[in-house]
Amino acid sequence: MKRFFKNIGPGTLVAAAFIGPGTVTVCTLAGVKFGFTLLWAMVLSIVATIVLQEMAARLGIVYGKGLAATVKSEIKNPIVRSLAILLILTAILIGNAAYEAGNISGGVLGLGSILDSYYVSISGLELNALSLLIGVIAFVVLYFGNYKMIERFLIALVLLMSVSFLITAVLTRPDISEVIKRLFVPTFPEESWLTIIALVGTTVVPYNLFLHASLVREKWESTTHLKAARMDTYVSILLGGLVSLSIIVCAAAVPTSDISNAADLAIALEPLYGDYAVYLLSIGLFAAGITSAITAPLAAAYVARECFGWEANLRSVKFRAVWIVILLLGVIFSSLSFSPIEVIRVAQVANGLLLPIIAGFLLWIVNRKNVLGSFVNSKFQNILGVIILLASVFLGIMSLIKVYNSL
């Protein structure tokens, strides 16, 4: 057991990243609108996440480089290489700034259920004090912590988040046989298609592929640890998926459909299950927001480091400058007059547009023998990868359609 916990790490950070406010919000809406009927879509999302994250982890351990650095070294044409790096860098930095605003906004929703919000003025800019609080916590952890400290902090928050949502799900006393049935029997209720896409899009997060490939090198040093890395990936993502399923189960118990986010869900559950539901869900949403608020800037900094060839040091000035900018943008945009749910939705759209590009790069790299040697994808892994890639392209198209229709 001691050895098992010793090998848990990077995968948990990935789970911490994808169980953010966007996931919590989408799962809440799925449960409120469609009950247990979309549980199967979350199961498929978990499988897709495991497939892609295993590829990313394998790349990091076998080749010793992250995804961005590998793409940079493998594209020989200087013009194409520059365009690819510019595309990755721009996509991740802009995408993660949007994610960060959604992450902090989600954490604010959680705290806002049990604390009053007020604004403070800094150089004429009105900032939500709760956004500042989350930003300060994320800053302290990233600035003063080394990899092990960040890892342990996020593992603790993931466990807190998991326990909060799991207990709340148990309190709702769901029909277990119905839950099990809906986990494995796909159904498509009327007007559910976009929600299904959102469940996939909010779980398979593009920046996690960069983050995971980089983090495994902080934890392990050779291919002898590949088995441990895979186990870490499987266990952590399954745990994260269990949290998502629990949120859907919680939301399905609400007797009204007038719910727009997890904070509303907490209030709606209060008459049925008492104050405990409010506090448990609020704590869970806060933990979801702050874990993602830490991992999104960290992922952006890793990508920038690989693209520009900076030294491998989490405390270098350049590395810190990147995550500080992303964190600061998140605090500012989450404090503006935008609805938190709208901010989260923008982040989901960014996710849908980025995923096909990043998944395509990853699938290309893990099939190159000069990179992975005997550890390249098997035929079965390629079949799964192509299916996921095609699904992500469809997701990106639907995201664009959704944005166009909302204009």
Side-chain angles (χ1 to χ4, degrees):
M1 183 62 70
K2 184 178 180 181
R3 183 180 178 185
F4 172 78
F5 280 107
K6 184 180 179 180
N7 284 326
I8 291 296
T12 309
L13 271 66
V14 169
F18 83 72
I19 303 296
T23 298
V24 175
T25 300
V26 169
C27 290
T28 297
L29 298 178
V32 168
K33 292 181 179 180
F34 305 107
F36 300 145
T37 58
L38 297 186
L39 288 174
W40 65 269
M42 180 51 62
V43 172
L44 286 183
S45 302
I46 296 166
V47 172
T49 304
I50 288 174
V51 171
L52 292 178
Q53 295 298 155
E54 186 278 334
M55 292 180 192
R58 181 161 28 105
L59 171 65
I61 289 180
V62 176
Y63 195 56
K65 294 182 180 180
L67 180 55
T70 308
V71 170
K72 183 179 178 181
S73 66
E74 285 301 299
I75 298 178
K76 305 305 179 184
N77 186 295
I79 297 176
V80 176
R81 180 172 60 243
S82 297
L83 289 174
I85 291 302
L86 181 62
L87 177 62
I88 290 174
L89 193 61
T90 304
I92 292 300
L93 292 181
I94 294 176
N96 279 27
Y99 282 132
E100 190 66 358
N103 294 332
I104 294 175
S105 296
V108 168
L109 279 177
L111 288 179
S113 301
I114 52 180
L115 298 175
D116 293 328
S117 294
Y118 66 92
Y119 286 79
V120 295
S121 180
I122 299 178
S123 300
L125 184 65
E126 294 289 321
L127 298 177
N128 189 323
L130 296 181
S131 294
L132 278 176
L133 174 61
I134 292 172
V136 168
I137 293 173
F139 178 87
V140 169
V141 172
L142 286 169
Y143 192 86
F144 294 102
N146 54 26
Y147 170 74
K148 286 187 177 180
M149 184 267 192
I150 294 172
E151 177 186 275
R152 289 170 183 171
F153 181 79
L154 290 179
I155 288 174
L157 281 179
V158 167
L159 290 175
L160 175 64
M161 175 173 59
S162 302
V163 170
S164 296
F165 287 126
L166 288 172
I167 291 177
T168 310
V170 171
L171 288 175
T172 65
R173 298 178 183 178
D175 182 339
I176 300 300
S177 61
E178 182 67 12
V179 169
I180 293 174
K181 176 184 176 182
R182 297 303 180 183
L183 286 171
F184 303 104
V185 180
T187 52
F188 300 85
E190 188 176 352
E191 298 183 356
S192 67
W193 191 240
L194 287 181
T195 303
I196 293 170
I197 294 170
L199 286 172
V200 176
T202 196
T203 306
V204 190
V205 181
Y207 78 73
N208 270 347
L209 301 176
F210 292 95
L211 184 64
H212 204 176
S214 297
L215 289 179
V216 290
R217 296 301 299 176
E218 304 279 355
K219 183 84 173 180
W220 298 292
E221 296 180 353
S222 70
T223 56
T224 58
H225 297 111
L226 191 55
K227 182 178 179 181
R230 282 172 171 156
M231 183 58 65
D232 170 52
T233 300
Y234 301 154
V235 172
S236 299
I237 293 175
L238 285 173
L239 177 62
L242 188 59
V243 172
S244 298
L245 293 171
S246 298
I247 298 168
I248 296 175
V249 170
C250 291
V254 177
T256 175
S257 60
D258 189 24
I259 305 291
S260 61
N261 57 64
D264 292 343
L265 174 61
I267 296 171
L269 287 174
E270 185 175 4
L272 296 174
Y273 309 110
D275 293 336
Y276 292 113
V278 174
Y279 288 107
L280 285 168
L281 272 171
S282 297
I283 291 170
L285 185 57
F286 167 71
I290 199 166
T291 53
S292 296
I294 291 169
T295 53
L298 190 62
Y302 270 117
V303 171
R305 187 185 79 179
E306 293 177 9
C307 288
F308 294 115
W310 297 338
E311 61 176 317
N313 185 353
L314 270 65
R315 298 194 176 190
S316 72
V317 174
K318 294 176 181 178
F319 188 89
R320 282 176 166 172
V322 174
W323 65 250
I324 287 173
V325 169
I326 297 297
L327 181 59
L328 185 60
L329 288 174
V331 171
I332 292 173
F333 283 112
S334 69
S335 296
L336 298 178
S337 57
F338 300 117
S339 162
I341 300 306
E342 290 305 313
V343 175
I344 291 171
R345 282 176 178 168
V346 169
Q348 290 170 346
V349 170
N351 177 54
L353 297 177
L354 291 176
L355 183 56
I357 299 170
I358 307 307
F361 276 127
L362 177 63
L363 197 58
W364 172 62
I365 288 295
V366 293
N367 276 285
R368 294 182 68 80
K369 285 196 173 184
N370 63 309
V371 174
L372 293 183
S374 61
F375 295 96
V376 292
N377 269 10
S378 65
K379 288 183 179 180
F380 180 66
Q381 287 172 318
N382 277 331
I383 290 172
L384 292 177
V386 169
I387 291 173
I388 294 169
L389 179 60
L390 292 176
S392 68
V393 170
F394 179 70
L395 171 65
I397 293 172
M398 293 304 295
S399 295
L400 285 173
I401 293 174
K402 187 175 180 181
V403 172
Y404 178 78
N405 289 338
S406 65
L407 295 178

